[in-house]
C-alpha cells in the first residue's frame, strides 16, 4: 500500500491547477473525477461537482493507497483548495500525465 505521491502544499509546481483550484474549484473537482473514472468531462461535472472527500477515497481505492478517512476529511475541511489541487495532480501523475 502506498500513499500520495503529490504533496498537499505542492500546488505551486502546477500553477494553472493552483489558480483554478483556488478560484474555480468546481472545475478542478469535476475534471479530476472524470479523469479518475476514465471518461470524458461534461458540463454537468462542473455545475454539480463531486464531493472531494469521496473523490479522495476513490483515488485511494483505485491506486491501492493507505485508507485514512479521518485525515482526508479534516484536510478537506481545513485546506480545501490544496486538497482539490493535490487530488488533481495525483490523478494526473498516476495516469501518465494526461489531463
Amino acid at each position: 500500500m502506498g500513499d500520495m505521491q503529490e504533496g498537499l502544499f505542492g500546488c505551486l509546481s502546477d500553477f494553472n491547477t493552483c489558480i483554478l483550484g483556488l478560484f474555480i474549484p468546481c472545475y478542478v473537482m469535476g475534471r479530476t473525477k472524470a479523469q479518475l473514472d476514465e471518461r470524458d468531462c461534461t458540463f454537468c461535472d462542473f455545475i454539480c461537482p463531486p464531493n472531494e472527500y469521496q473523490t479522495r477515497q476513490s483515488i485511494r481505492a483505485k491506486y491501492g493507497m493507505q485508507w485514512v478517512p479521518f485525515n482526508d476529511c479534516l484536510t478537506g475541511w481545513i485546506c480545501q483548495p490544496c486538497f482539490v489541487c493535490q487530488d488533481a495532480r495525483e490523478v494526473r501523475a498516476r495516469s501518465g500525465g494526461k489531463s
Side-chain angles (χ1 to χ4, degrees), residues 2-3 9 16 18-19 22-23 28 30 34 38 41 47 49 53 63 68-69 71 83 91-92 95:
D3 203 7
F9 300 111
N16 290 337
C18 179
I19 293 298
L22 184 61
F23 294 107
V28 178
E38 298 176 5
C41 192
I47 60 170
Y53 170 81
Y63 299 116
V68 285
N71 291 355
F83 190 76
V91 170
R92 189 175 317 115
S95 66

Side-chain angles (χ1 to χ4, degrees), residues 47-82:
I47 60 170
C48 298
N51 176 302
E52 195 59 27
Y53 170 81
Q54 292 169 338
T55 298
R56 174 67 61 101
Q57 300 318 305
S58 295
I59 291 169
R60 290 190 180 281
K62 181 172 184 172
Y63 299 116
M65 300 164 74
Q66 183 179 357
W67 193 255
V68 285
F70 180 76
N71 291 355
D72 289 342
C73 183
L74 188 62
T75 305
W77 274 100
I78 292 173
C79 194
Q80 189 210 18
C82 294

Side-chain angles (χ1 to χ4, degrees), residues 1 7 9 13 18 33 38 49 59-60 64 84 86 94 96:
M1 287 193 144
F9 300 111
S13 67
C18 179
K33 182 64 172 150
E38 298 176 5
I59 291 169
R60 290 190 180 281
V84 167
Q86 181 185 29
R94 290 181 182 260

